[in-house]
Amino acid sequence: MQFMLLFSRQGKLRLQKWYVPLSDTQKKKISREVIQMVLARKPKMCSFLEWRDQKIVYKRYASLYFCCAVEDQENELITLEIIHRYVELLDKYFGSVCELDIIFNFEKAYYILDEFILGGEAQETSKKIVLKAIEQADMLQEEAETPRSVLEEIGLT
Amino acid sequence: MPAVSKGDGMRGLAVFISDIRNCKSKEAEIKRINKELANIRSKFKGDKALDGYSKKKYVCKLLFIFLLGHDIDFGHMEAVNLLSSNKYTEKQIGYLFISVLVNSNSELIRLINNAIKNDLSSRNPTFMCLALHCIANVGSREMAEAFAGEIPRILVAGDTMDSVKQSAALCLLRLYKTSPDLVLMGEWTSRVVHLLNDQHMGVVTAAISLITCLSQKNPDEFKTCVSLAVSRLSRIVSSASTDLQDYTYYFVPAPWLSCKLLRLLQCYPPPEDGAVKGRLVECLETILNKAQEPPKSKKVQHSNAKNAILFEAISLIIHYDSEPNLLVRACNQLGQFLQHRETNLRYLALESMCTLASSEFSHEAVKTHIETVINALKTERDVSVRQRAADLLYAMCDRSNAKQIVAEMLSYLETADYSIREEMVLKVAILAEKYAVDYSWYVDTILNLIRIAGDYVSEEVWYRVIQIVINRDDVQGYAAKTVFEALQAPACHENMVKVGGYILGEFGNLIAGDPRSSPLVQFNLLHSKFHLCSVPTRALLLSAYIKFINLFPETKSTIQEVLRSDSQIRNSDVELQQRAVEYLKLSSIASTDVLATVLEEMPPFPERESSILAKLKKKKGPGAVSVNELEEGKREGGELNGGGERGGDSSAIAASNASTPSPSADLLGLRAGPPVTAAAPSAGSLLVDVFSEAGINDDGFLRDLEPTTESSDSLLAEGPGDSDSAPPSVVSEDPTPLPESDELLNKFVCKNNGVLFENQLLQIGIKSEYRQNLGRIYLFYGNKTSVQFVTFTTTVTCPGELQSQLNVQSKPVEPLIEGGAQVQQVINIECLTDFSDAPLLNIKFRYGGALQNLTLKLPVTINKFFQPTEMASHDFFQRWKQLSQPQQEAQKIFKASHAMDTEVLKAKLLGLGMALLENVDPNPENFVCAGVIQSKAQQVGSLLRLEPNAQAQSGEQMYRLTVRSSKDTVSKRLCELLAEQF
């Protein structure tokens, strides 16, 4: 996989993961191009698009589009299910995930993705194992943190 | 499962994100972000040491700001500090920041690598995984150098945890992709291959990606993976749906691993070991069988996972191309999908069948689906699916169905999407040529192509039909008759006029016996189109007319009259004028014999690869069209373009020589001919001009549009190659700017509005405005002709390092410009840092079928981002002195190219964008200016002094220009730009 983008119906990028080295300018250009292309698609059209020498595989879940670019030889259907499994992981972790969860907890969305896909390839496809790894990290977080005052949190002290 | 309540973790971050979301405008958002950045910056710089938690929170905010699309230029150090925290979440944020915002700053990379090294040797699996994730995410060469030796060890060590192995395998894969020379598997090879046997499915899933990539590069070293992969696959395929527990996905056992196993096997030929092969064939049959079973779930995930494996299995079957039984079964399965209600499946079935069509075992089976595919072409609502259907029709075409397929594709062309028309045209042209049994069908097909989709018929296509007609005696009469009929249509495409002009000029005599197509009728028909055509076509028609004079002496006076008319002989286009003058002379001076020799029928073309095929290959990229395709076609279709039958004809040879591009010996002989020399002393050059190929067009406007003359050679060589052909327009991807573009650029250094470019077809006006480091340019493209421009596209590119110096965004422009109309394009520019080059503006469009391509420099120069600075004399000289390092100054002494008019000079300097400072220089003749260049990265203060010397020693008016600025590149560039202005 070359990259994965999550974006809203309004074209706002919510998560971007790049598995090939690109400059920030190139990334911005590609995101714009791909978002524009996918948003122009009508429902019931097929989920695959030829793009440059790659393939775009996308699917919409509620207000969010999940979109992957894969190499020409890659299996489109299994990529579609990669997307679905990632949605399942987010859903299970956040409990009926919605766009806001991903906005406010973007770092978590990245952690979950890193456990599931690494370097553009599936690392662990078992839902249980991925979630267990994230849970463990959360446990470590809870142990480590002491409660703070609200004022301190918003930087007023 | 821990409850995830919003705002656990970092409340300050949540508050900030809410604030951003509540911002009503982009400006408000930027304001809020700048406030936050200032706050974070002061925290990081403050005296009070920040605790880990605060550091984490601020780094996370920075990350959020970056992901919103803003640039972040600090905080890297704090993120690196977090890496060495003992607290997992702090470390995690640190790594996330590094992964997203890697900086090529080598100092930092060294620190990062240090932290990674510590974590890798910590023996804490969660820390090790974080470190490996970071390497895999960044994947830089420095990291490969530091860790490529260590990771294989971690991967195969007996005591490594499964999760770490998984990360190590994919981390290594990423490093191998970026720096294959640094990843040496050597001694580890066999242990890595044996990971395919690992008990943990997750380890196998991760390892197989690595093994597949390594196998592609070193198949021999990894070939033991084949039998391991087959046995693993066999175990999965034969397992019950519950055996694999959590690796079963919607009742499908291990779909990801299955697909990857099948993909790995595609790196190798069929297994030689009979037992292994038997087991594999069994697997493939089981997969095909399962496709026929009723689904275990109605969920689309179930069928997708199942079909993903099926398609991958079919790919393997096609890759082996040795099991007829499996190939035919695969084809039947795909045939079922062709009518499936899921668009995705129809798309994939069409795509997959395309490769099946090229196998000799399944070609016939694929052909049985022709009606379904034709139907898909007509009824699919999604253009990408229709495109696949067109591809498949092309792939399944052979002698038996060529007429049907070509007819269907032609009728589809009438309504086809613009995006795919050109490719469809090429495909139809290739199929028609490849499977032509009788050439009249071929000629009909190509003329139909021109009729239906003339705009998309490229030069290659109509060149080719002419090559073939010239090489085939038996079709010449038919071609002449058909094209004559086609030209009767009141509105016919310019490409039709070109083909008509060429063919009637060569073979009009073959139909001249019929009074309905007598020479004069033919001529009048052609000439009725003349005034509607573009210059290149008119040039071609003039050549057809001179051929008519040769073929039909009775038309001589009529044609001479046409040539003699003011609209020809005094045409403002030099090319047309030259042809008219020369042909008129030639027809009146040369004897019938000389005329007949000069205008001898074209000799056959040497057989060569179809240029159309070459074009399609280029368009689709390698692999899209098999190299052997045309040869195959020949094998089946016999000699199609067989030249040579007439090769022995001596007059043909003479003419052939005569029509070579360079003035050859034969030409010299001709030139020595008494009638010519006697009558016109300049006739020598005249004849050379008549015969030299595209060389005559050097002054023509097309040449102006096409600066890349080198690349035109190959295309010219593919053309009909005679002296009379219109100059082919050159399609070049290389945006070399026009030679005069620098001059055009200089025109706009001191002004923002005006006419940027103009030729006979097109006028480009420009209006621009700049504020701080931002600019907006309005371009106005005006069509000066009465014919519409189609497929009008413009691209703005920043060559080389300019890409990182300017951020240029252009809005797309209307693809069609009606005759006389004007369209507007807006281009936004952001100056990131100082720069010297100008962005290139490439413009392509079709005018009367010919592709026009030109590249200009967009007049964006560094001085556009000047902010004028007023200052007193004292301040000026103080700053002047501060900028006294030699590289900060650039100086030029040059001759005045315009009169030294003080008011004009002032206006120019003001136009430059700096403040013109009065009463600063002790010498009132001199001019001094000050300004600050605003770029996103920095501000560059610049001072300028211009000293006119009206009576220099040489008697010429001279200037001395001195520019000083805090940046050497800026001084230099300003000096260069200004030296051209006065």
Side-chain angles (χ1 to χ4, degrees), chain A residues 121, chain B residues 155 169-170 172-173 176 185 188-198 203-219 221-226 228-229 260-261 263-265 267-268:
Chain A
E121 298 283 340
Chain B
L155 176 59
L170 293 176
L172 202 55
L173 171 60
Y176 184 76
M185 296 312 292
W188 312 115
T189 304
S190 124
R191 292 170 75 182
V192 170
V193 171
H194 275 86
L195 287 173
L196 288 176
N197 266 341
D198 202 284
V203 172
V204 189
T205 308
I208 194 168
S209 297
L210 173 66
I211 296 169
T212 306
C213 182
L214 292 168
S215 299
Q216 281 163 350
K217 300 281 156 58
N218 328 284
E221 285 167 50
F222 283 82
K223 64 174 177 239
T224 48
C225 70
V226 173
L228 292 178
K260 287 184 175 200
L261 286 163
R263 167 59 48 85
L264 172 60
L265 291 170
C267 301
Y268 290 92

Side-chain angles (χ1 to χ4, degrees), chain A residues 12 14 16-17 19-21 24 28 32 41 44-48 50 55 59 73-78 80-82 84-85 88 92-94 100-101 103-104 106-107 110-111 114-115 118-119 121-129 135 137-138 140-142 144-145 148 152-154 157, chain B residues 1-2 4 6 9-12 14-15 17-18 21 51 53 56-57 60 63-64 66-67 69 71 87-89 92-93 96 133 136-137 166-167 170 173-174 177 200 202 205-206 209 246-247 249-250 255-256 259-260 263 301 304 307-308 311-312 343-344 347-348 351 382 384 388 809:
Chain A
K12 281 239 178 204
R14 296 300 183 202
Q16 42 175 319
K17 188 79 188 178
Y19 297 109
V20 282
D24 286 345
K28 280 188 186 160
R32 262 200 310 271
R41 305 276 297 168
K44 296 233 173 146
M45 282 189 163
C46 77
S47 313
F48 321 123
E50 283 189 338
K55 285 188 283 212
K59 186 159 177 174
Q73 295 303 309
E74 195 53 63
N75 190 312
E76 293 95 337
L77 286 174
I78 210 73
L80 212 46
E81 294 317 300
I82 285 259
H84 187 73
R85 169 110 302 176
E88 283 184 346
K92 193 90 185 180
Y93 180 79
F94 288 108
L100 280 179
D101 292 320
I103 296 172
F104 278 94
F106 67 97
E107 80 282 11
Y110 278 99
Y111 298 153
D114 270 356
E115 288 294 333
L118 190 60
E121 298 283 340
Q123 172 174 230
E124 179 53 81
T125 59
S126 155
K127 196 157 64 177
K128 264 190 207 146
I129 296 180
E135 278 165 34
D138 281 336
L140 288 170
Q141 175 163 6
E142 276 169 16
E145 250 146 51
R148 293 166 169 267
E152 198 181 344
E153 280 295 342
I154 56 176
T157 56
Chain B
M1 156 124 269
V4 184
K6 286 190 189 97
M10 294 165 281
R11 268 176 293 254
V15 169
I17 296 176
S18 301
R21 287 181 53 75
D51 60 10
Y53 171 81
K56 175 181 93 170
K57 183 178 69 183
C60 205
L63 186 55
F64 180 78
F66 177 79
L67 290 169
D71 289 334
K87 293 204 177 110
Y88 180 75
T89 51
Q92 203 179 16
I93 292 284
L96 181 59
H133 289 181
N137 280 325
Q166 287 166 273
S167 299
L170 293 176
L173 171 60
R174 176 68 197 267
K177 282 182 183 165
H200 191 286
T205 308
S209 297
D246 207 33
Y247 289 95
Y249 179 83
Y250 292 86
W256 285 281
C259 284
K260 287 184 175 200
R263 167 59 48 85
Q301 284 76 25
N304 278 353
N307 291 327
F311 276 106
E312 207 59 66
T343 314
N344 287 346
Y347 177 94
L348 294 174
E351 191 184 40
D382 185 346
S384 32
R388 290 285 84 81
Q809 290 175 7

